[in-house]
Amino acid sequence: MLNVTFLVPPVVVGTHPAERSSGCTHVVYPTPNIYELQVAACVEQAHKVSYIDCINQPQSIEQLLKYEQSSETDVYIIWTVNLSVENDIEIVSRLHVLFPLRRVLLLGPGAGYFYKKCIVDAQTIVVHGEPEMTVMELLSRWDKQEEWQATDGISYLSDGVIHRTKMRALMRDLDGLPVPARHLVAQTVYRNPKLKMTPYVTMVTSRNCPFRCIYCVPSSLTFAREIEYKDYNHRKPPISFRSPEKVAEEIRQLHQEGVRAIGFMDDNFIWNEQRTAAICDVLRDRGIVWGCQARVDAITDSIAQMLSTSGCMYVDLGVESFNDEILEYVHKGITSEQIYTAIRLLQKYKVPVKLNILIGTSPLETEDTIRDTIRKAKKLNVDQLMINIVSPFPGTQFYRMARDNGWLKDGEYVPTDVQRESILNYPHLSYKQMEHLLFVSNLSYFLSPRFVWKQIRKFRSWPDFTHALHSLKIKLFG
């Protein structure tokens, strides 16, 4: 049996911690990394697991290293996203100065794409793609002191050369996975300002998305899967599902543990009416409030009604633009009329709507199209409006287009926080213009009397309100 430490490192490069679940922003409010906790649940079936979160249970690098001097850790596991790559490399280097024989496994999209940069020594191994089975195989081989270098889905350093093994097949049936190890983060109180109720947890019922948006990276696990799968198959990976019965079983368990709010992190939560109804039934019966992400073309009258009656407190719709030419250019697969229809149906049944607008998704964008989209979004009187700037993530079609057309500000991708920064320079629309439009639009929206009053009325406790206020401050001003 090995001693395995899951580590959320302190910030030693930059000033703000990366949010490692979505993977494209800095932390606005604490969110449990459900993907990492899923791996931890697998690992603790055979090994001793500890979890150190230096962000939500603050520790400096000095405190971490001092603590680890008396620990018996054999292997560290770090979930790395693009915004955390440089920080995590520095953390690994410092760990290996003091503990040269302890291995480090780097998981997640940042490690998967930048694996050559991340492998700083022979004790650092990158796990590509979907991590559970790869991690379990590696730990088992190390525990038994067996040869491990042929393990599928890894990169490692040997004799001064980085080796990358073949892709590991993705899991199609997720029902065999254990429930995520949420007990490892029980000391942190998580809150979601959109749900305004605690205790709050996150859940996942499926993996990946079949649609072809040129810029899209829905979650850090999806991105890790896509990077690996596209390298070998040149197309998006297949979707994997948990059965409604397994989902219901986990919801009932969470209810027994006192959970009152669930945020579903699926790239797309709504696939069909039968599956949605089965999950909504158990949520309604347990009185749990919840929210999800969905496409506008998945919203029907009956879907909207079942969301309403089952306690759904937000549907997160990625609409990006109300300009049909832009929607077609980015392969969104929807029209502006479908956006309006979905919103009307949800509002008909009083289901709160969160609209996501993404600035700069194509060279068709101008200051006028951006202002027009934001103006139309505000007129709809939705519950929340979220505006970000697109980032050309490596591994996406949009990245290749931006690189080949010279749209990248510094000629190459640099990890940025999509909530406030742009690295795009179109000939007619600069990064400064996009950043200015974002800041002004967010400020006018989030500080408007209509938004403030609508949100204040929904909070159930003073701590939930103050937490949301703090999150808003971070989002607007850093």
Side-chain angles (χ1 to χ4, degrees), residues 210-221:
F211 297 96
R212 300 184 302 115
C213 308
I214 62 174
Y215 53 82
C216 193
V217 182
S219 73
S220 60
L221 177 61

Side-chain angles (χ1 to χ4, degrees), residues 212-215 325-332 361-362:
R212 300 184 302 115
C213 308
I214 62 174
Y215 53 82
E325 287 185 72
I326 291 173
L327 291 172
E328 183 177 0
Y329 185 98
V330 301
H331 299 169
K332 186 68 181 174
T361 54
S362 89

Side-chain angles (χ1 to χ4, degrees), residues 187-448:
Q187 70 275 25
T188 301
V189 176
Y190 297 101
R191 291 182 171 90
N192 184 335
K194 297 191 294 290
L195 290 176
K196 303 173 177 61
M197 187 177 290
T198 53
Y200 162 76
V201 300
T202 57
M203 270 188 71
V204 176
T205 76
S206 62
R207 293 183 177 181
N208 272 86
C209 166
F211 297 96
R212 300 184 302 115
C213 308
I214 62 174
Y215 53 82
C216 193
V217 182
S219 73
S220 60
L221 177 61
T222 291
F223 195 19
R225 278 175 129 234
E226 288 196 3
I227 289 168
E228 178 76 342
Y229 196 84
K230 285 179 178 177
D231 275 354
Y232 289 86
N233 300 281
H234 309 293
R235 64 180 187 275
K236 296 188 75 167
I239 313 164
S240 299
F241 292 98
R242 298 175 65 198
S243 67
E245 293 77 17
K246 277 291 184 180
V247 174
E249 183 181 313
E250 184 174 345
I251 292 170
R252 286 191 287 267
Q253 178 181 328
L254 291 171
H255 179 257
Q256 290 174 355
E257 294 170 359
V259 169
R260 301 172 66 197
I262 298 174
F264 289 96
M265 304 298 289
D266 304 47
D267 303 334
N268 280 302
F269 178 76
I270 299 171
W271 294 101
N272 56 58
E273 292 191 1
Q274 183 178 1
R275 174 182 170 85
T276 305
I279 298 173
C280 284
D281 285 347
V282 69
L283 289 163
R284 182 187 62 247
D285 293 345
R286 295 301 183 277
I288 291 174
V289 300
W290 61 284
C292 67
Q293 301 176 108
R295 283 176 58 89
V296 298
D297 51 1
I299 306 299
T300 63
D301 190 276
S302 56
I303 288 280
Q305 187 172 14
M306 68 178 69
L307 298 180
S308 176
T309 59
S310 62
C312 181
M313 297 302 292
Y314 72 85
V315 177
D316 208 326
L317 299 175
V319 301
E320 324 315 356
S321 175
F322 284 87
N323 184 299
D324 283 313
E325 287 185 72
I326 291 173
L327 291 172
E328 183 177 0
Y329 185 98
V330 301
H331 299 169
K332 186 68 181 174
I334 59 173
T335 64
S336 58
E337 184 54 42
Q338 287 175 303
I339 297 172
Y340 288 120
T341 299
I343 294 169
R344 282 196 299 268
L345 288 172
L346 292 168
Q347 290 180 333
K348 172 184 175 182
Y349 292 102
K350 296 181 172 54
V351 179
V353 177
K354 177 192 168 195
L355 281 189
N356 290 290
I357 303 300
L358 203 53
I359 292 173
T361 54
S362 89
L364 302 181
E365 285 270 41
T366 64
E367 285 201 28
D368 287 341
T369 64
I370 293 168
R371 288 196 177 97
D372 182 62
T373 283
I374 294 171
R375 183 168 55 250
K376 288 175 178 175
K378 287 180 177 179
K379 282 184 178 179
L380 290 168
N381 195 29
V382 295
D383 195 68
Q384 262 197 58
L385 177 62
M386 190 66 67
I387 309 168
N388 291 319
I389 299 177
V390 70
S391 183
F393 290 105
T396 64
Q397 182 180 347
F398 186 58
Y399 164 73
R400 294 190 296 273
M401 294 166 63
R403 180 196 59 196
D404 294 346
N405 286 282
W407 299 335
L408 293 169
K409 182 178 69 172
D410 298 316
E412 188 47 87
Y413 169 81
V414 176
T416 54
D417 185 341
V418 300
Q419 296 176 111
R420 55 180 53 85
E421 298 171 303
S422 174
I423 57 170
L424 286 172
N425 256 335
Y426 291 121
H428 58 285
L429 187 65
S430 72
Y431 76 94
K432 288 185 177 180
Q433 288 172 287
M434 285 187 268
E435 289 175 353
H436 176 73
L437 283 167
L438 175 66
F439 180 74
V440 170
S441 299
N442 274 333
L443 204 63
S444 65
Y445 175 72
F446 284 108
L447 298 184
S448 66

Side-chain angles (χ1 to χ4, degrees), residues 11 15 40 70 76 96 118 135 187 222 235 238 263 283 356 386 393 406 422-423 452 457 460:
V11 176
T15 56
S70 60
Y76 296 101
H96 279 164
C118 289
V135 169
Q187 70 275 25
T222 291
R235 64 180 187 275
L283 289 163
N356 290 290
M386 190 66 67
F393 290 105
S422 174
I423 57 170
V452 172
R457 290 183 302 165
R460 309 293 179 89

